[in-house]
Amino acid sequence: VDNLSTSDASSPQSPVRPKYKAPESYSKYVIDELLYAYPEGAGVTNADGILPIVLAIESGKKWIGGGIRSLHEAYPPGIERAQLGEDHPLVSAMSFTSQGDESVGEHSIIADLLDEGDVGEGTIATAVDGGGGRRRKRKRRKKINKDESHDAIMFVQRPGAPVRDVVTTMWANEEDGGVQMLGCSALEHAAIDAAGSSGSAESIASVALLGVTTVVNAMKNHPNEPAVQEKACSALMAMAPADGVREVSFAASGAISTVVSAMQAHVSDATVQKEACRALRGIAAKGGAERATVVASVSGFTALVNSMGAHPDDGGVQSEACAAMEVLTSFPDAYLPRLHEQTEALLQSAADKFPEYCLETTTAIRSRLNAADDEES
């Protein structure tokens, strides 16, 4: 599932270039399909007595994008076999999910439908134990919920699905991180297709009018999920050319501050950092000095500096962070922070390690920030 083809040499990475990896969502897609066909499989061990969820955790899969949450929902006792420590990244993800689950009461629409009477096999109480029927109803309700989630996931992945339908599905399943992640990816592709068909910001706005707020909502509802944040940032980058067209506003929607929050929450995740840097670059490039000032006002410039400091040997992060800074500093009227010694050192390090991608941009950044400092003094 992971290593599918050779690396793409067109974009910068670390000095030793790894093989290309399939998107994390592909693991979830495969696991969901298997569980849909054979849900009991989540509780079946292999020849070594190891459950699927333990194998997934040991291989480094993520909570939503890697399908671990799906395996946990299908067989909750399995997570105990993994013996997660308090500092394990999955612990915080599970805690956030459980908080959301507590808001779903017994009197949901599905529960009401099941409680109306005999809705099929397995819903009638047994003569031996009056509580038996109730237990069967709960089992049936869980099955219906899983079917609905599966349908939503399949729908947002459908090629050519209308933007309005994808957005509606995402809002109707906002607590489902898998739907949000794949929905963001669908909106990204819709924006790219819209740009390719005519190349105009007006065409992209047809996606962004509904897409921007939907993506921001996904990011705010799943702040602890790197896969959701990554795909959301990619979608915002694709929709950025529509900022300011018709009613689209990346500032008013909270998109800029939410991207910065993602960078702050996932400093150690190189993929999130790269996509967030790209998103900030795209937003500033379209919005000019006004948007560049907004980025800086919500600590966006500081987030870019921190990203470089956290991933000094990742060429992708360094080049994207430098590219974003280069755009931000290209507007003389933008109000940006002064050039500090830490920023100067990080820019120099990026230029030395990755001159092909960073030398030109870092030279421009330092020149502009130094000139701004001279004017102020």
Side-chain angles (χ1 to χ4, degrees), residues 172-244:
N173 298 271
E174 59 182 346
E175 79 289 347
D176 191 316
V179 173
Q180 301 304 304
M181 174 186 66
L182 295 169
C184 287
S185 183
L187 292 175
E188 175 194 3
H189 291 302
I192 293 173
D193 291 342
S197 61
S198 64
S200 68
E202 186 70 28
S203 297
I204 300 174
S206 64
V207 179
L209 276 170
L210 296 174
V212 172
T213 53
T214 304
V215 169
V216 170
N217 184 64
M219 297 179 75
K220 289 182 176 180
N221 279 329
H222 300 275
N224 295 333
E225 287 299 335
V228 175
Q229 303 299 313
E230 171 198 339
K231 298 300 181 184
C233 287
S234 298
L236 291 175
M237 173 60 180
M239 293 185 283
D243 189 15

Side-chain angles (χ1 to χ4, degrees), residues 85-168:
E86 293 182 0
D87 296 331
H88 196 283
L90 287 179
V91 174
S92 59
M94 292 176 63
S95 174
F96 182 80
T97 301
S98 64
Q99 292 173 12
D101 291 343
E102 289 174 0
S103 64
V104 181
E106 284 292 316
H107 297 291
S108 64
I109 295 176
I110 296 175
D112 291 339
L113 288 173
L114 290 175
D115 288 340
E116 286 179 357
D118 182 5
V119 293
E121 183 180 358
T123 64
I124 303 175
T126 64
V128 177
D129 184 357
R134 185 62 179 171
R135 285 195 297 273
R136 291 185 181 181
K137 287 182 180 180
R138 286 179 178 171
K139 281 187 176 182
R140 181 62 178 270
R141 183 177 68 208
K142 182 177 180 181
K143 174 63 175 176
I144 292 177
N145 273 320
K146 288 185 70 64
D147 286 354
E148 288 187 346
S149 176
H150 177 273
D151 291 343
I153 288 173
M154 293 300 103
F155 180 83
V156 295
Q157 293 184 97
R158 190 182 67 186
V163 171
R164 183 176 294 275
D165 291 346
V166 172
V167 167
T168 300

Side-chain angles (χ1 to χ4, degrees), residues 298-313:
V298 295
S299 302
F301 200 92
T302 301
L304 292 170
V305 173
N306 292 339
S307 181
M308 295 180 69
H311 303 277
D313 298 318

